[in-house]
């Protein structure tokens, strides 16, 4: 006689990045049995190579009138802060139309309010979450320095800082001399700066995500490598169809990053998710005496200190999932970083490219599928996945367990498009 089939898990989380594993741990903490399914395994996507920042002050959406003013000039440079490969231009046109519509002032204001609420919740949830998962020692609070090359560039940034001030975000504008005291070795071409002290960072995003996976397993969680192709909700369960087998659970959370929209289509939800392809180079830890993260906003990249090295990366390439990486973008950022930090040693670096899942209005999709309340979405965080992971975990755990949501979820509805 064959042994009886084990009872289905309460929840399957599709995606083993920082969002998926944070959700899995939050569900586990509420007494649910959870399995995590991922096509490659923990920390294999954008969670591996991001800048490691908890950017709670980054409340302004990418979709904004300011980006519309800058975009034409940036798009003229194929290696600049924003690019669209010609081979992908036609494919992304409908998404770009939605992005343009999201730049309307009233929509920017609404997105900023929603983003602020999500950031505030993430900040409140972060340190308790780190304490529960044994990762508190990986957190650093060094702040971020945004630098400007002229009075004109600095003046153009002030409305954004006014918006942050209105939402209670602390910052301090700085002269070149004050910046030199805060971060020696910065090129004198930068005449102004703004320091945000409440910009935190993790020692290394990949190691952090792997620690979350380790903790999840230690608490009885199961992680399996499986590429999920489709979801089939029924009255009492959800069947997940993988390439070589099926799984049945009571509820599903879809947090598969840049691949999420493909799976959502299987239940009839067409969500306009696109891919910000991010590039970076990680240099040896002794490449520069970096005291805090530096954001070169006019050039679309950051330089940040990790426990594993100095990471130079950022920019936005809207190029989908299939085109090969263009590592000339990493090289271009590294050349600029050398100009901006003349003492930076640029040898011995490791290049990386990853997919950041982005929706046109810069807000994630957090909510139920239109097909079934047994299917919950938590994806589309763009370049803020690490930052917003504690809040997303809290909100999804509330939805799964029927608790009242901590913030208004309507701005993040997957059906808003």
């Amino acid at each position: 006689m064959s042994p009886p089939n084990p009872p289905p898990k309460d929840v399957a989380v599709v995606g083993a990045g920082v969002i998926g594993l944070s959700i899995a741990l939050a569900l586990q903490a509420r007494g649910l049995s959870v399995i995590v399914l991922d096509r490659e395994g923990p920390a294999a996507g954008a969670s591996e190579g991001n800048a490691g920042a908890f950017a709670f002050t980054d409340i302004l959406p990418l979709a904004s009138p300011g980006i519309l003013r800058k975009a034409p000039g940036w798009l003229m440079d194929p290696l600049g802060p924003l690019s669209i490969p010609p081979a992908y231009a036609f494919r992304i046109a409908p998404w770009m139309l939605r992005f343009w519509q999201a730049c309307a002032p009233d929509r920017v204001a609404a997105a900023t309010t929603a983003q602020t609420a999500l950031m505030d919740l993430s900040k409140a949830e972060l340190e308790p979450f780190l304490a529960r998962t044994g990762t508190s020692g990986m957190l650093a609070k060094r702040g971020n320095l945004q630098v400007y090359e002229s009075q004109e560039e600095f003046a153009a940034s002030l409305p954004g800082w006014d918006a942050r001030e209105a939402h209670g975000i602390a910052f301090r504008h700085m002269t070149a001399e004050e910046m030199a005291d805060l971060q020696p070795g910065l090129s004198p071409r930068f005449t102004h700066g703004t320091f945000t002290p409440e910009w935190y960072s993790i020692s290394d995003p990949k190691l952090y995500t792997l620690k979350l996976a380790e903790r999840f397993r230690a608490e009885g969680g199961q992680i399996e490598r499986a590429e999920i192709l489709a979801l089939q909700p029924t009255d009492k369960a959800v069947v997940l169809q993988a390439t070589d087998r099926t799984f049945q659970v009571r509820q599903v959370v879809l947090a598969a990053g840049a691949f999420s929209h493909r799976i959502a289509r299987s239940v009839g939800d067409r969500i306009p998710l696109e891919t910000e392809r991010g590039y970076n180079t990680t240099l040896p830890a002794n490449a520069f005496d970096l005291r805090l993260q530096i954001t070169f906003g006019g050039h679309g990249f950051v330089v940040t200190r990790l426990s594993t090295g100095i990471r130079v990366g950022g920019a936005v390439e809207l190029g989908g999932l299939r085109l090969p990486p263009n590592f000339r973008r990493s090289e271009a950022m590294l050349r600029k970083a050398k100009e901006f930090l003349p003492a930076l040693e640029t040898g011995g670096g490791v290049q990386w490219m990853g997919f950041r899942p982005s929706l046109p209005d810069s807000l994630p999709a957090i909510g139920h599928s239109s097909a079934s309340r047994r299917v919950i979405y938590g994806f589309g965080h763009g370049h803020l996945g690490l930052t917003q992971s504690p809040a997303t975990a809290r909100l999804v755990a509330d939805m799964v367990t029927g608790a009242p949501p901590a913030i208004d979820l309507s701005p993040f509805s997957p059906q808003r498009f």
Side-chain angles (χ1 to χ4, degrees):
M1 180 182 295
S2 60
N5 291 326
K9 296 284 186 183
D10 291 320
V11 187
V13 177
V14 182
V18 70
I19 295 285
L21 287 166
S22 297
I23 291 169
L25 283 158
L27 294 170
Q28 197 178 55
R30 300 197 188 191
L32 299 174
S33 60
V34 184
I35 183 171
V36 173
L37 306 171
D38 191 275
R39 61 199 297 272
E40 295 182 274
S47 298
E48 175 183 0
N50 63 65
F54 290 102
F56 300 125
T57 65
D58 200 359
I59 63 170
L60 303 179
L62 181 63
S64 66
I67 202 74
L68 287 183
R69 288 192 293 271
K70 295 177 183 177
W74 282 355
L75 288 170
M76 294 297 290
D77 179 1
L79 301 180
L82 173 64
S83 73
I84 301 174
Y88 201 68
F90 179 77
R91 177 80 177 270
I92 202 174
W95 188 94
M96 291 301 298
L97 176 60
R98 291 180 184 272
F99 181 87
W100 177 77
Q101 292 168 337
C103 292
D106 59 331
R107 296 187 63 181
V108 171
T112 301
T113 299
Q115 196 79 288
T116 302
L118 193 60
M119 293 296 201
D120 288 347
L121 180 61
S122 254
K123 187 177 179 184
E125 292 287 322
L126 174 61
E127 293 191 65
F129 180 80
L130 297 181
R132 288 197 306 271
T133 56
T135 53
S136 296
M138 303 183 80
L139 185 68
K141 298 181 179 181
R142 291 188 284 260
N144 177 76
L145 179 63
Q146 171 88 43
V147 296
Y148 307 99
E149 295 178 80
S150 67
Q151 173 65 36
E152 292 74 21
E153 186 184 7
F154 174 65
S157 77
L158 293 178
W161 292 111
D162 290 342
R164 292 181 178 95
E165 185 174 33
H167 288 286
I169 291 171
F171 59 86
R172 179 161 59 97
H173 297 313
M174 308 185 85
T175 65
E177 293 76 17
E178 290 170 325
M179 289 193 295
D181 289 339
L182 187 66
Q183 175 57 71
L186 187 64
S187 168
R189 68 191 288 166
F190 297 102
T191 58
H192 298 73
T194 305
F195 176 61
T196 47
E198 295 179 357
W199 184 292
Y200 303 163
S201 60
I202 205 74
S203 58
D204 181 272
K206 180 178 181 179
L207 297 181
Y208 171 65
T209 306
L210 291 176
K211 280 282 189 183
L212 297 184
E214 181 183 315
R215 181 61 178 241
F216 176 69
R217 288 188 176 111
E219 296 293 327
Q222 182 181 354
I223 301 176
E224 291 200 27
R225 189 168 174 176
E227 183 172 3
I228 302 302
L229 303 177
L231 307 177
Q232 299 168 357
T234 68
D235 289 343
K236 296 182 179 180
V238 182
V239 176
L240 297 91
Q241 180 64 56
T243 50
D244 57 348
R245 52 191 160 149
T246 60
F247 301 86
Q248 181 172 305
V249 295
R250 294 185 177 92
Q251 291 177 280
V252 168
V253 177
L254 180 55
F259 298 87
S260 299
H261 62 309
R262 294 180 173 182
I263 303 170
R265 283 189 203 131
S266 68
V267 293
D269 287 329
R270 301 190 68 84
I271 298 174
L273 188 75
E274 261 302 338
T275 303
E276 292 181 36
R277 294 150 59 96
Y279 291 83
N280 66 48
T281 304
T282 303
L283 303 169
N286 62 355
F288 186 76
D289 179 21
L290 191 64
R291 311 285 176 86
L292 75 172
Q293 179 169 295
I294 306 176
T295 298
F296 299 99
H299 300 269
F301 73 93
V302 303
V303 180
T304 189
R305 173 174 291 283
L306 305 174
S307 61
T308 48
I310 302 296
R311 182 159 290 168
V312 178
V316 174
E317 180 188 53
L318 296 167
L321 295 166
R322 293 192 177 95
L323 295 179
N326 177 10
F327 284 114
R328 290 183 301 160
R329 295 182 65 77
S330 298
E331 293 159 6
M333 284 186 282
L334 196 58
R335 285 194 299 270
K336 285 186 176 181
K338 176 65 175 176
E339 292 177 31
F340 302 161
L341 303 168
L344 180 69
E345 297 289 341
T346 58
V350 177
Q351 294 177 327
W352 177 88
M353 187 275 283
F355 302 122
R356 298 176 296 203
S358 298
L359 291 162
D361 58 3
S362 305
L363 299 177
I366 304 174
H368 292 94
S369 164
S370 64
S372 171
R373 293 187 68 81
R374 293 185 178 274
V375 178
I376 294 170
Y377 297 148
F379 60 81
H381 297 77
H383 58 280
L384 295 170
L386 175 64
T387 301
Q388 296 174 344
S389 58
T392 304
R394 163 72 186 276
L395 293 168
V396 170
D398 286 344
M399 282 188 284
V400 169
T401 59
I407 61 173
D408 177 16
L409 286 177
S410 59
F412 310 101
S413 169
Q415 284 75 50
R416 67 187 186 272
F417 300 105

